[in-house]
Amino acid sequence: MTVDYSLTVDSFDERFVAALAQLGEAVFGAPKADLGWRLGHMPSASVVCASEAGRLVAFKAGYAVGRSRYYSWLGGVHPHFRRRGIAAELMRRQHAWLRERGFETVETATNQGNLPMIRANLEHGFMVCGLRHKSGRMQVLFSKDLG
Ligand SMILES: CC(C)(COP(=O)(O)OP(=O)(O)OC[C@H]1O[C@@H](n2cnc3c(N)ncnc32)[C@H](O)[C@@H]1OP(=O)(O)O)[C@@H](O)C(=O)NCCC(=O)NCCS
């Protein structure tokens, strides 16, 4: 079946947030409590989505942290849909949109043991720019120049 991609920006209705929360739970095993809050409050919030037969199967959400800096906060692919290039396509689309909107850098943070995401970041042009402790875990910080 075909995977369809879409981008939602700035305005997120309740049904959309509920569908994202449900997928987030399937991906992370627990709800992301502040998903709706961040989408509703952070500047230039965006979600790139992948759907198959009308069902949401993957997403990538982020928001601006400066005039030219964007933070790619959270994303995931439903376990049944992995290793099909969906995360890679979400990243390409997110970065293309950020360039159109005039952002110069995109940043992200990945738990140090998450090798699939670390590999995907490196393959898509991110460079490691630091480490941080967050909620008892070590995270690798990445930055990519969109120019
Ligand atoms: C990480 C994740 C988003 C990858 O999604 P995906 O659609 O399966 O990834 P893709 O098929 O697009 O693969 C892109 C690249 O990621 C890397 N990758 C993905 N899965 C991998 C795995 N199991 N082992 C090693 N590398 C992997 C590879 O570099 C891959 O490129 P390649 O296929 O050319 O080797 C997915 O595994 C996931 O949702 N994980 C749980 C949630 C999560 O960790 N989110 C990120 C933190 S917010």
Side-chain angles (χ1 to χ4, degrees):
M1 254 191 233
T2 318
V3 175
D4 299 309
Y5 293 91
S6 59
L7 172 71
T8 306
V9 184
D10 289 331
S11 166
F12 307 94
D13 65 36
E14 267 178 36
R15 275 179 51 196
F16 179 76
V17 175
L20 271 186
Q22 197 180 10
L23 175 59
E25 208 161 336
V27 168
F28 299 105
K32 287 281 172 187
D34 56 352
L35 176 67
W37 187 90
R38 289 202 205 203
L39 294 181
H41 290 82
M42 299 306 283
S44 297
S46 71
V47 186
V48 193
C49 292
S51 309
E52 195 178 68
R55 172 189 172 199
L56 185 64
V57 298
F59 74 101
K60 195 156 194 68
Y63 45 81
V65 287
R67 189 190 56 77
S68 61
R69 287 170 49 223
Y70 205 78
Y71 182 56
S72 185
W73 169 53
L74 187 70
V77 177
H78 189 283
H80 296 164
F81 292 83
R82 289 184 188 162
R83 299 312 316 247
R84 288 172 47 177
I86 293 177
E89 185 60 24
L90 293 176
M91 220 185 274
R92 276 191 287 272
R93 286 170 184 256
Q94 184 195 53
H95 296 180
W97 176 75
L98 292 175
R99 280 189 198 95
E100 274 170 30
R101 292 275 290 237
F103 287 98
E104 291 167 11
T105 55
V106 55
E107 301 167 0
T108 194
T110 303
N111 291 336
Q112 107 177 306
N114 189 346
L115 294 182
M117 198 63 232
I118 288 175
R119 273 190 60 175
N121 288 338
L122 292 172
E123 277 180 13
H124 289 269
F126 281 97
M127 308 279 276
V128 174
C129 62
L131 289 172
R132 75 176 176 202
H133 269 293
K134 197 170 179 215
S135 312
R137 285 180 302 221
M138 186 69 93
Q139 292 190 321
V140 183
L141 306 180
F142 293 92
S143 174
K144 175 179 172 176
D145 184 347
L146 293 164

